[in-house]
Amino acid sequence: MNVSPEQAALIRLSDYRAPAWRVETVDLDFDLGIDATELSARLLLRRDRTQTQPLRLDGENLELLSIMLDGQALPATAYRYADRVLEIDDVRDGSVLETRVRLRPAVNTALEGLYLSGSREAGFLLTQCEAEGFRHITFFPDRPDVQSRYTVTLRADRERFPVLLAGGNPDGAGELDGDRHWARFVDPHPKPSYLFALVAGRLEKIVRDYVTADGRAVTLNIWAEADAIGRCDYAMDALERSMRWDEQTYGRNYDLDVFHVVATHDFNMGAMENKGLNIFNAKCLLADPDSTTDDEYRHVEAVVAHEYFHNWSGNRVTCRDWFQLSLKEGLTVFREQSFSADMNSAPLKRIEDVSLLRRAQFPEDAGPLAHPVRPAQYSEINNFYTATVYEKGSELVRMLAGRLGTDGFRRGMDLYFERNDGRAAALEDFLSSLGDANGIDLTPYLAWYAQAGTPRLKAHGQYDAARHEYTLTLAQHIQAGADHEPALPLPIPVKLALFARNGDMLPLHMDGQTSEQVNERVIVLTGAEQSFVFTGIPSAPVPSLLRGFSAPVILECDYTPDELALLLGHDADGFNRWEASQQLAARAYENLRDGAATDALQAWCESLAQLFNNSTIDDALLADLLTPPGEVELAEREKAVDPQHIHALRQSLLRRLAARLGAEALRRRYQALAADTNAALDAVSQARRRLKRRVLELLGLIDGPGTRLLAASQYDDAPGMTDRLAALAVLLRGNAPEAAPALLYFRERYADNALALDKWFAVQAQVPGDGALDRVLALENDPAFTLKNPNRVQALLGAFVRINPSGFHRLDGAGYRFLAERLVTLDALNPQLAARLATAFNGWQRLEPQRRAAARAAIAELAGHEGLSRNLTEIVDSVFIH
Ligand code: B3K
Ligand code: ZN
């Protein structure tokens, strides 16, 4: 990200210094209340003898009630609390500091620190500390390289807060006078402050006993409010699967006697891996067939696994500083993706992950918000929980894992955990463990962590018929980073195969070797350009490159449409088959856009028609093959972006495909898929629903009236949310008269189900075209809409500005002005949420001139607004100044 010189103080990676003061033990004692909570903190302080700075503790918006050092009340002259820092004189190594502060959870709308979820009467209290929320709770060196042992005592009214939870093992509970009670928790594992958590209120639980592979008996508790506890069973099963998988795949066992998971409707992110007390956004935890779609089920499983896996990759081994965030996040996303691939279908999972990377990370990396996986500087760390740190970070781990192979990677991970257990580590520690365990120097891969931008990989093949040799020349090109440093060449592993024209894979012989019979291998491009020679190739082959997406790059290869069609028809690797269809669809799109040739368009339609009529292909893969790149991805290929034109072109691309498949065949397929509609979650049933939706959407493009009837009865008869929501979307997009009553019915049926209601808002916000904004404005008046709930904001505003380009990017700029206005209001309530939504302005410079001018004016007005948060200011300045 680019930041203006006048922007709030920048934190730089190069300025890192070890902490001058550490905290050995922390005793926290809370008197919990909704309007006012008071807490005492007792810190045993340790000084780094090589440093001389006075004790400085972070603390934000804290009402200091008392302060004592080594048992003596401190006079006001002995400390200063200003600019979010408490500085205290004359502290010694071994001193004990005791502070008492008052917090106001009920008015904390930022959802950071201690806050109230739900209503004053019925809601509960909880905390969110990562990244820097702990300083909103008490004075502390709030940085991840300060690891301490925590003892936490909670006291509260028994009737209002019957359940009291904190991380660690339970260490006693009892009664207090005045109908109050207490509970204590001791965490034996030293941890950074961002992993602290507490929860207090009226919650119910489901329980499961679990015994770890190394024999520890653990109680697993999932907590939710009474109306939601019936929707936690799927998450509990997913948790158990995750725990077993981590034991089997990485040899990692859980390490406390109890593991709590809590669901809340008021949360800024997906979930949080607090030690022993994970807190989840309800949308990533609750699931039942009536209100949860197949995609959401898989998401719940993935997030449960992700947070659980953090117990080792993040908690036992944490980050030295926030620049190393991808050390825990990239690694944990990779672990989660591998788990999901094992639990479901590996190629489908890879397709999903790469689609997300292209939709979210590539545009981020191509615009003013681009930053390396290890950023060099930030103003507000919460702005760096990005697709680059998470998704690209995971791709980097995947490259390393591919380089080392399954056994080598496991050896490296074992060494990483062994060397760094209990430590706050850096990315160098990760690479050196992986390398040392395998006798390989992986330091060249550090360049991937330091450079922003998606590398372009140019591939050119040349066949020498006389020598039966095929030479593949690879060259890399990466745009100079935002800092204008010339980019270094990166190691790029390219997994490849060669196909004969009849669709057979050819044996790969390199460097004269003929002994081993392999038909897939990995070559690594290490310089700017290199050639690789394959011998004994009988005829000009078609290369299948970057199989499984072996490196996060943009491949530029001079394929003919026929060659792509060959890969689409024959590649045994499901992912690369999909990849060929994506490339071919993008070319077909260009055919339509440029109005010149139609070769790619024809090849794409013909290949898909063949596959459509071939009953052996998996339904879910077929559904994905029938889906061209999305509008955001297509926009990445344009110089002057007109999102509405892109939408129209993509629609006509789909219409051409539908026409080629034919209304009759589509209808027949739909009927066959609909014949045994059910709500079962097995892979076959999910795949059928996925294809059924795709087929219905395609049919809708060429037979509106017929599709309306099918969609209306699918809506009425749907046994679960996947079918119901798909039918509703088709009715809405087809502007069907049945849409309005269907919406009314949905609104009433799910009036008390917040997560289902979110889908009701989102499906309407996503209807393409100029009318979307008016629909969003009307929906803002629905009594269920509120800017105070992040899920609701994402459902209506997020879906509109992020998932509906043809709705948001109106030529008159009304979408931009709407977003800018809402950001000002939202920022005053919840800066993290406002900043995240503001990233929808990313890429405005590449819009065609009229929209660009309108976007610029809206952003300029926003940037000129007084009193914006540090979060929003950093995003707006970065986007605007660039
Ligand atoms: N570590 C948390 C994200 C915290 C975001 C703070 N703004 C969830 C996760 O990645 O697992
Ligand atoms: Zn994470």
Side-chain angles (χ1 to χ4, degrees):
M1 261 177 241
N2 267 7
V3 274
S4 63
E6 64 275 11
Q7 198 171 307
L10 278 181
I11 320 283
R12 292 194 174 80
L13 170 59
S14 53
D15 290 343
Y16 175 81
R17 297 287 172 276
W21 291 89
R22 295 177 186 273
V23 181
E24 196 168 300
T25 59
V26 194
D27 285 80
L28 299 172
D29 202 321
F30 287 82
D31 275 312
L32 293 164
I34 286 179
D35 290 313
T37 284
E38 289 188 13
L39 73 119
S40 301
R42 188 174 184 280
L43 314 184
L44 170 56
L45 295 156
R46 291 290 170 201
R47 159 178 236 138
D48 173 351
R49 283 158 207 268
T50 66
Q51 302 193 54
T52 54
Q53 291 100 308
L55 178 67
R56 287 200 189 98
L57 301 176
D58 303 298
E60 278 190 43
N61 299 322
L62 297 175
E63 191 182 336
L64 181 59
L65 301 176
S66 69
I67 177 164
M68 301 213 305
L69 188 67
D70 296 321
Q72 302 291 315
L74 279 183
T77 50
Y79 65 91
R80 290 152 296 283
Y81 179 29
D83 292 335
R84 303 180 280 150
V85 174
L86 174 66
E87 190 176 271
I88 307 169
D89 303 326
D90 303 325
V91 184
R92 295 168 301 104
D93 180 37
S95 276
V96 172
L97 179 74
E98 292 171 84
T99 59
R100 188 164 178 85
V101 300
R102 185 180 293 128
L103 312 175
R104 307 268 175 203
V107 293
N108 179 357
T109 56
L111 312 189
E112 183 183 29
L114 179 71
Y115 66 93
L116 171 68
S117 171
S119 68
R120 300 174 54 81
E121 298 70 35
F124 63 96
L125 293 177
L126 74 161
T127 54
Q128 169 56 36
C129 291
E130 188 177 0
E132 296 178 337
F134 197 64
R135 64 187 63 183
H136 293 258
I137 294 175
T138 193
F139 293 102
F140 204 77
D142 191 13
R143 43 187 288 172
D145 55 354
V146 172
Q147 292 168 275
S148 324
R149 246 184 284 277
Y150 282 70
T151 300
V152 179
T153 307
L154 306 178
R155 299 165 206 274
D157 183 271
R158 180 183 271 293
E159 198 275 323
R160 181 64 187 84
F161 301 101
V163 176
L164 301 174
L165 303 173
N169 289 323
D171 186 52
E175 300 298 318
L176 294 168
D177 288 345
D179 292 327
R180 288 163 58 80
H181 67 148
W182 66 275
R184 180 167 300 130
F185 304 84
V186 175
D187 191 340
H189 304 281
K191 68 186 171 199
S193 50
Y194 81 87
L195 291 174
F196 164 82
L198 74 81
V199 168
R202 296 190 192 108
L203 294 165
E204 304 206 352
K205 67 173 165 178
I206 59 168
V207 182
R208 187 165 297 178
D209 292 327
Y210 182 90
V211 179
T212 61
D214 63 359
R216 177 191 289 268
V218 184
T219 306
L220 310 178
N221 293 318
I222 299 190
W223 300 85
E225 286 164 293
D227 62 344
I229 195 67
R231 287 182 275 156
C232 296
D233 297 315
Y234 180 78
M236 182 65 97
D237 291 342
L239 175 60
E240 195 173 341
R241 288 198 290 278
S242 312
M243 295 176 80
R244 283 288 169 242
W245 186 89
D246 212 17
E247 290 167 359
Q248 286 158 7
T249 316
Y250 286 92
R252 299 294 122 198
N253 289 268
Y254 186 61
D255 54 5
L256 290 170
D257 303 335
V258 53
F259 186 65
H260 297 289
V261 176
V262 179
T264 170
H265 283 286
D266 298 287
F267 211 56
N268 275 340
M269 59 216 92
M272 177 63 212
E273 71 264 23
N274 316 297
K275 182 80 188 185
L277 177 50
N278 287 359
I279 297 181
F280 273 65
N281 187 325
K283 79 168 176 226
C284 299
L285 193 83
L286 306 183
D288 71 321
D290 184 51
S291 59
T292 308
T293 64
D294 293 341
D295 291 349
E296 290 172 325
Y297 267 103
R298 285 201 308 283
H299 190 59
V300 166
E301 181 183 58
V303 180
V304 167
H306 180 106
E307 304 312 328
Y308 174 72
F309 296 157
H310 267 315
N311 191 55
W312 275 93
S313 49
N315 302 2
R316 289 287 287 254
V317 181
T318 194
C319 299
R320 186 193 74 174
D321 53 68
W322 292 120
F323 298 101
Q324 321 297 325
L325 183 57
S326 197
L327 176 71
K328 75 178 179 79
E329 295 305 348
L331 175 56
T332 304
V333 170
F334 172 72
R335 275 152 54 69
E336 161 215 317
Q337 290 177 346
S338 316
F339 165 79
S340 295
D342 284 355
M343 296 299 120
N344 303 286
S345 147
L348 290 177
K349 179 63 185 159
R350 195 67 189 123
I351 290 170
E352 185 177 295
D353 295 338
V354 174
S355 305
L356 174 66
L357 189 77
R358 289 186 174 145
R359 194 167 67 237
Q361 199 275 326
F362 281 17
E364 182 173 279
D365 227 351
L369 297 176
H371 54 277
V373 172
R374 176 160 62 185
Q377 57 186 40
Y378 59 77
S379 158
E380 169 53 62
I381 186 56
N382 283 309
N383 287 333
F384 285 79
Y385 287 74
T386 58
T388 297
V389 167
Y390 276 64
E391 267 66 40
K392 185 174 179 182
S394 166
E395 294 299 322
L396 303 191
V397 177
R398 183 181 297 274
M399 265 196 307
L400 294 163
R403 171 81 179 80
L404 301 176
T406 309
D407 295 345
F409 184 63
R410 171 68 194 268
R411 264 197 307 281
M413 288 301 294
D414 285 351
L415 187 61
Y416 170 66
F417 288 128
E418 188 188 315
R419 281 186 182 168
N420 296 290
D421 190 8
R423 285 192 64 228
L427 282 154
E428 283 80 359
D429 297 308
F430 180 62
L431 287 174
S432 63
S433 297
L434 295 187
D436 292 352
N438 290 282
I440 298 176
D441 176 16
L442 293 174
T443 42
Y445 283 85
L446 267 179
W448 273 102
Y449 287 91
Q451 274 173 203
T454 309
R456 289 180 180 267
L457 178 69
K458 252 198 167 58
H460 175 70
Q462 194 134 29
Y463 183 63
D464 183 333
R467 301 172 64 109
H468 286 185
E469 269 180 16
Y470 178 71
T471 304
L472 181 68
T473 302
L474 299 176
Q476 60 176 299
H477 173 68
I478 182 166
Q479 236 112 49
D483 49 7
H484 304 298
E485 290 287 318
L488 293 170
L490 301 164
I492 300 180
V494 179
K495 191 190 268 192
L496 61 85
L498 297 179
F499 281 85
R501 302 278 155 168
N502 67 359
D504 288 346
M505 272 167 109
L506 295 167
L508 301 180
H509 303 301
M510 289 179 78
D511 312 322
Q513 295 165 1
T514 46
S515 51
E516 233 184 320
Q517 275 287 348
V518 289
N519 50 23
E520 180 182 83
R521 57 191 299 166
V522 179
I523 54 179
V524 185
L525 173 66
T526 51
E529 182 173 321
Q530 264 166 277
S531 290
F532 302 85
V533 180
F534 299 86
T535 52
I537 305 289
S539 60
V542 180
S544 167
L545 300 171
L546 276 182
R547 289 164 76 78
F549 204 59
S550 59
V553 299
I554 296 169
L555 176 66
E556 292 171 355
C557 182
D558 41 12
Y559 286 117
T560 63
D562 284 350
E563 290 172 336
L564 288 169
L566 179 113
L567 294 175
L568 169 50
H570 291 93
D571 205 325
D573 177 308
F575 173 81
N576 261 46
R577 194 171 223 195
W578 172 80
E579 181 63 358
S581 86
Q582 295 290 288
Q583 305 259 356
L584 197 51
R587 301 268 191 96
Y589 167 89
E590 285 163 5
N591 280 176
L592 283 179
R593 182 193 61 196
D594 305 338
T598 56
D599 51 351
L601 183 59
Q602 277 171 16
W604 183 61
C605 290
E606 284 312 314
S607 311
L608 290 177
Q610 273 182 33
L611 288 172
F612 189 76
N613 299 317
N614 158 357
S615 57
T616 61
I617 188 163
D618 171 67
D619 283 343
L621 179 60
L622 180 58
D624 288 358
L625 293 177
L626 293 170
T627 309
E631 292 168 29
V632 173
E633 270 178 63
L634 292 169
E636 285 299 293
R637 310 167 73 94
E638 306 282 336
K639 293 221 160 37
V641 176
D642 174 348
Q644 295 186 318
H645 186 53
I646 291 174
H647 172 75
L649 280 173
R650 187 174 180 276
Q651 287 303 101
S652 61
L653 182 67
L654 284 165
R655 205 169 294 116
R656 297 289 273 266
L657 175 62
R660 173 61 188 85
L661 299 178
E664 193 41 47
L666 285 165
R667 230 181 334 264
R668 246 185 293 123
R669 191 60 168 262
Y670 178 84
Q671 303 287 13
L673 290 163
D676 53 0
T677 287
N678 63 41
L681 278 177
D682 60 280
V684 173
S685 305
Q686 286 197 40
R688 295 176 78 88
R689 284 191 286 275
R690 194 177 182 86
L691 181 58
K692 190 167 62 175
R693 173 176 191 154
R694 201 77 213 108
V695 168
L696 192 62
E697 285 168 349
L698 286 169
L699 187 60
L701 295 169
I702 51 173
D703 175 16
T707 304
R708 263 178 18 217
L709 293 178
L710 296 176
S713 65
Q714 175 171 321
Y715 184 81
D716 291 341
D717 304 338
M721 186 52 98
T722 308
D723 281 339
R724 185 171 302 120
L725 197 61
L728 184 57
V730 168
L731 290 174
L732 272 166
R733 283 163 190 237
N735 213 359
E738 293 86 348
L743 281 172
L744 267 180
Y745 171 78
F746 197 113
R747 178 71 181 78
E748 270 170 38
R749 173 167 174 177
Y750 293 107
D752 298 324
N753 182 331
L755 299 177
L757 218 45
D758 287 338
K759 289 186 262 275
W760 181 81
F761 280 103
V763 73
Q764 298 181 74
Q766 287 174 50
V767 178
D770 270 345
L773 179 58
D774 287 339
R775 205 171 292 114
V776 170
L777 288 168
L779 284 165
E780 282 190 319
N781 294 324
D782 188 288
F785 183 73
T786 167
L787 285 177
K788 288 196 174 148
N789 178 265
N791 287 357
R792 197 58 37 99
V793 170
Q794 293 292 0
L796 186 60
L797 308 190
F800 172 59
V801 301
R802 236 197 301 273
I803 312 179
N804 187 356
S806 70
F808 176 52
H809 293 276
R810 266 168 55 151
L811 190 59
D812 62 6
Y816 310 137
R817 290 189 293 278
F818 166 77
L819 176 59
E821 279 168 24
R822 289 304 172 275
L823 287 176
V824 173
T825 319
L826 195 57
D827 192 46
L829 293 167
N830 187 332
Q832 285 187 34
L833 184 59
R836 200 156 339 124
L837 213 57
T839 62
F841 280 127
N842 188 37
W844 68 273
Q845 292 95 334
R846 285 185 33 247
L847 291 167
E848 53 73 33
Q850 194 170 341
R851 287 181 178 82
R852 188 166 66 226
R856 163 180 257 281
I859 303 169
E861 170 135 15
L862 175 60
H865 220 275
E866 288 289 301
L868 296 183
S869 68
R870 189 170 62 233
N871 305 57
L872 185 56
T873 303
E874 182 173 39
I875 299 293
V876 172
D877 282 2
S878 306
V879 164
F880 194 46
I881 285 167
H882 197 69

